[in-house]
Amino acid sequence: MDDLVRACERLWPQGISIFLSHEARFRNPLSPVDREALADSEAAEDPAVVAVVAEELPARLDRLERGTYFPVPLARAVAGGRAFDDALMSFHYPPIVVDAERRWSWKGQPVAERIRRFFVQHIGFEPALRVWFVEYRVNDGWWDKCYLDCATTPLVAVQLREGAGDEDGQVFTDLSNGRDDSLDPDSLRLDERERLFASSADHGLVEIADAPRFALLRTVSEDCRTVEFAGARRTLRWPDAG
């Protein structure tokens, strides 16, 4: 496993990720949760699989397309007589792209709206890798998963709720994927287009929807540096403030 993880670490900065199928789900050895799940995976220790990740893919790095590769079936194909370069793209999945306008595309083509809405309901976030993904159950024996290549967060905080009592000073939100989360009230920041963002506990950065954004900005100070949020004046970061 250590050799596999080190190899994955070299590929990740180049936009290359590795998935191993284990117990009906795709696992990335770089994710701590997935690495623990792969502890009893024979594939993670298979020399042929490790060689694909540690030797064959790095040797072609200048020609590899960004996205996820599946070294187990690739190693099997090569063992069965296929040339590595011939088999390579049969076991590659490009990321879904989310642009700055939150438009979704795959392989250069727009994602159909009904599919996009389905995917949004199944967005998750891997904090160790700082990446969003879509994961959903196809059937009892198979969960599909792919990473998102995002120019902006794919998630919107639709509603905000301030805590009371023991939760005083906390902020909770309903997200566009249908899940609940909490926001760091001291993480508010605007972008160049005055869209408002905050850091969530479990889903990374999220954009605050128009209605709660307007409500917050109505409390902005004269110097435009603070707003009233969760019972206190909170710093409002602008693009030039980092």
Side-chain angles (χ1 to χ4, degrees):
M1 176 68 77
D2 290 344
D3 291 340
L4 182 64
V5 170
R6 283 192 290 269
C8 291
E9 288 174 341
R10 291 193 293 271
L11 295 171
W12 180 257
Q14 308 303 317
I16 307 299
S17 54
I18 298 299
F19 277 173
L20 302 182
S21 180
H22 186 60
E23 295 181 346
R25 304 184 91 136
F26 289 123
R27 303 290 188 177
N28 183 340
L30 292 183
S31 162
V33 173
D34 287 352
R35 189 159 59 246
E36 182 177 351
L38 289 167
D40 61 349
S41 168
E42 294 182 2
E45 304 290 347
D46 186 335
V49 172
V50 175
V52 167
V53 183
E55 300 172 16
E56 299 293 351
L57 292 181
R60 296 163 173 82
L61 198 55
D62 60 340
R63 292 179 281 137
L64 292 181
E65 294 186 16
R66 291 171 60 88
T68 301
Y69 290 82
F70 302 83
V72 174
L74 179 54
R76 289 173 181 164
V78 172
R82 289 184 68 182
F84 189 94
D85 289 329
D86 176 59
L88 179 60
M89 296 309 291
S90 297
F91 306 104
H92 165 263
Y93 195 93
I96 295 173
V97 174
V98 180
D99 71 12
E101 306 300 325
R102 209 172 287 108
R103 293 177 298 220
W104 291 47
S105 62
W106 188 64
K107 293 186 175 181
Q109 298 298 315
V111 173
E113 181 58 21
R114 62 181 179 82
I115 296 176
R116 187 199 67 81
R117 289 196 301 267
F118 174 80
F119 282 169
V120 167
Q121 295 172 0
H122 295 85
I123 291 176
F125 183 71
E126 172 49 68
L129 300 177
R130 310 299 299 174
V131 65
W132 289 279
F133 59 85
V134 171
E135 184 178 36
Y136 57 93
R137 187 172 69 178
V138 178
N139 54 51
D140 289 342
W142 178 28
W143 287 69
D144 203 2
K145 182 177 182 177
C146 65
Y147 285 135
L148 303 178
D149 183 0
C150 298
T152 189
T153 173
L155 291 173
V156 176
V158 180
Q159 295 182 353
L160 303 183
R161 305 184 305 279
E162 295 188 14
D166 292 342
E167 296 177 338
D168 187 38
Q170 299 183 55
V171 179
F172 303 94
T173 181
D174 301 322
L175 296 176
S176 52
N177 63 352
R179 301 175 194 171
D180 298 331
D181 206 341
S182 60
L183 300 183
D184 178 357
D186 293 310
S187 67
L188 296 173
R189 71 172 181 83
L190 292 160
D191 69 1
E192 294 82 357
R193 295 166 52 187
E194 297 191 7
R195 296 180 297 186
L196 185 61
F197 299 85
S199 298
S200 68
D202 298 322
H203 292 85
L205 191 70
V206 300
E207 182 178 346
I208 297 176
D210 285 345
R213 176 172 68 93
F214 291 146
L216 278 171
L217 294 182
R218 279 199 296 267
T219 71
V220 70
S221 59
E222 289 188 8
D223 63 2
C224 296
R225 292 299 177 183
T226 65
V227 291
E228 184 70 26
F229 193 35
R233 300 302 299 184
R234 308 286 182 171
T235 299
L236 180 61
R237 293 173 177 81
W238 290 77
D240 61 350

